[in-house]
Amino acid sequence: MAAPGKAAAFRLPPLPTIGEIIKLYRLKAQKQLSQNFLLDLRLTDKIVKHAGNLKNAHVCEVGPGPGGITRSILSAGVEQLLLIEKDARFIPGLQLLSEAAPGKVRIVHGDILTYKMEKAFPKHLKKNWDDEPPGIHIIGNLPFSVSTPLIIKWLENVSKKDGPFIYGRTQMTLTFQKEVAERLTANPGGKQRSRLSIMAQHLCTVENCFVIPGEAFVPKPEVDVAVVHFTPLVQPKIEQPFELVEKVVQSVFQFRRKYCFRGLEILFPESGRLKRTEQLMMTANVDPTLRPFQLSMSQFRNLCNTYRKMCDEDPSLFVYNYREELKKKKTRKLLKSTEETAEENEL
């Protein structure tokens, strides 16, 4: 029995290798789910190491698959591990791991995009937002098809301090396609600077930890994979609602290779568009001839703050949708063309 105050180091008993688990349960990566298995435990250990100190922590692993990263998380001495797996084929193999770590593992057969993370961990783990991050971590080798919508959803949760961030500044260590990871961490002027760069960096410290070559996965993807670590900031760099920031940033990057003036124009209805865009850029003190990827975080903050003031003065601005206006124009044009054709036929 361990001495009081000292927990005995946890070790998994001898288990079949990941490769053997795959054969035993006849598991095959499904291309339509963009699944890729990581079998090298040295790499899974490295991912878990970059998550930070997991001793006695509560961890949620997203899409554990055959359980490679799962083993590394358990070996790090976690208190509790929640596994959320959408693909039922992997559940038996995960149950084998659960039995090897009695009382430590909880398996949920479900979709991470709809799972209610605010109830995933014990209430006593909650910390104030300006405290150190809680002993809660999210780790996952994400399928490529899910990674971008999922990180956008979680960034919105960070902004609203809900979902997994109801417990405080929960840290995340996740895999992405190398190109997506470069977008998440790109600096102003960088060729990968994008909407993702601004949305992630204004809410979190984002670190591109290391790259895993594609050949390390089974089956081998066509691209390399990068591990990215997120720690929510105490104070966001743009203190505006998530929806407003997203609307401004999306508009700016709508025409990535043109001057930023062109993207900002679509924030406003056609009537008075030019005048309002000039007003926005002058008040925000942003050079209209800069390209979107050249804008700094402080310039995006000025644009968002100014746009917010304009929306407060005219609430119809925020609900204005450029694409809806384009659809209506096309519909009107089509109706007019149909009416003219009908008149010609009558004649």
Side-chain angles (χ1 to χ4, degrees):
M1 189 172 175
K6 286 190 177 180
F10 175 78
R11 282 189 181 181
L12 284 168
L15 290 164
T17 65
I18 299 298
E20 288 168 345
I21 290 282
I22 289 170
K23 285 179 185 175
L24 179 65
Y25 295 104
R26 297 178 181 178
L27 301 173
K28 190 176 179 182
Q30 293 192 353
K31 196 171 183 180
Q32 66 267 36
L33 297 177
S34 57
Q35 291 174 338
N36 303 96
F37 304 150
L38 189 56
L39 307 187
D40 188 337
L41 293 183
R42 290 169 300 178
L43 286 171
T44 61
D45 284 347
K46 193 175 180 182
I47 291 172
V48 170
K49 188 178 178 183
H50 277 276
N53 182 13
L54 298 186
K55 186 79 172 169
N56 301 323
H58 287 246
V59 176
C60 171
E61 186 189 354
V62 181
I69 296 176
T70 313
R71 296 183 185 212
S72 297
I73 294 170
L74 287 169
S75 297
V78 298
E79 179 74 21
Q80 285 284 320
L81 175 56
L82 168 65
L83 303 176
I84 301 176
E85 178 54 64
K86 185 178 181 179
D87 192 335
R89 297 175 306 142
F90 296 118
I91 302 298
L94 296 173
Q95 283 171 339
L96 190 70
L97 276 175
S98 177
E99 289 161 14
K104 283 186 175 287
V105 180
R106 182 159 58 99
I107 302 168
V108 172
H109 177 212
D111 188 343
I112 188 61
L113 286 168
T114 55
Y115 183 72
K116 302 292 183 186
M117 290 287 284
E118 50 269 69
K119 295 180 180 178
F121 305 105
K123 289 181 181 178
H124 73 265
L125 295 173
K126 283 187 182 182
K127 285 199 173 185
N128 292 325
W129 194 258
D130 50 3
D131 289 342
E132 286 298 305
I136 295 173
H137 297 257
I138 298 171
I139 300 174
N141 174 29
L142 304 178
F144 297 155
S145 59
V146 169
S147 60
T148 301
L150 184 56
I151 194 58
I152 288 293
K153 170 183 162 64
W154 277 340
L155 289 170
E156 183 171 3
N157 289 147
V158 171
S159 175
K160 296 176 178 178
K161 299 176 186 175
D162 61 12
F165 307 96
I166 201 168
Y167 301 92
R169 295 185 297 120
T170 300
Q171 296 178 79
M172 301 182 285
T173 309
L174 307 167
T175 60
F176 297 89
Q177 288 183 52
K178 185 185 171 189
E179 186 181 321
V180 176
E182 287 170 351
R183 287 180 199 158
L184 284 162
T185 55
N187 293 318
K191 64 178 182 177
Q192 294 286 18
R193 186 77 160 176
S194 66
R195 171 182 74 115
L196 271 182
S197 318
I198 310 304
M199 298 311 294
Q201 293 171 34
H202 101 267
L203 290 163
C204 298
T205 299
V206 191
E207 179 192 358
N208 193 337
C209 302
F210 66 98
V211 174
I212 304 174
E215 54 262 28
F217 293 86
V218 177
K220 178 190 170 186
E222 294 177 3
V223 294
D224 291 337
V225 171
V227 177
V228 182
H229 184 75
F230 300 81
T231 306
L233 296 165
V234 173
Q235 202 78 18
K237 292 178 181 174
I238 303 173
E239 295 190 68
Q240 293 295 347
F242 184 86
E243 293 83 358
L244 184 142
V245 178
E246 188 174 42
K247 186 178 182 185
V248 172
V249 174
Q250 272 185 331
S251 298
V252 170
F253 282 100
Q254 185 75 35
F255 305 98
R256 180 180 169 77
R257 294 182 182 179
K258 297 184 182 290
Y259 295 143
C260 62
F261 186 93
R262 179 68 188 92
L264 287 164
E265 277 187 318
I266 67 174
L267 286 169
F268 305 106
E270 193 170 18
S271 172
R273 177 172 287 159
L274 181 63
K275 186 180 177 183
R276 280 174 153 168
T277 309
E278 286 174 348
Q279 179 192 343
L280 171 62
M281 302 215 73
M282 283 181 66
T283 309
N285 194 26
V286 172
D287 180 349
T289 63
L290 288 173
R291 312 280 178 187
F293 61 88
Q294 293 175 311
L295 296 179
S296 67
M297 188 63 75
S298 61
Q299 287 172 317
F300 272 105
R301 180 172 58 241
N302 291 348
L303 287 168
C304 290
N305 290 344
T306 304
Y307 180 65
R308 171 65 186 270
K309 287 177 184 173
M310 294 173 82
C311 288
D312 288 344
E313 290 167 9
D314 180 359
S316 68
L317 276 186
F318 186 68
V319 295
Y320 166 72
N321 188 309
Y322 172 72
R323 286 179 181 173
E324 287 298 318
E325 187 175 69
L326 277 184
K327 278 182 190 175
K328 285 176 184 175
K329 268 188 179 181
K330 285 179 183 176
T331 304
R332 284 197 296 267
K333 197 173 180 181
L334 187 65
L335 284 170
K336 189 177 179 183
S337 174
T338 307
E339 286 168 3
E340 287 173 352
T341 305
E343 284 175 9
E344 285 172 11
N345 290 340
E346 283 175 15
L347 290 169

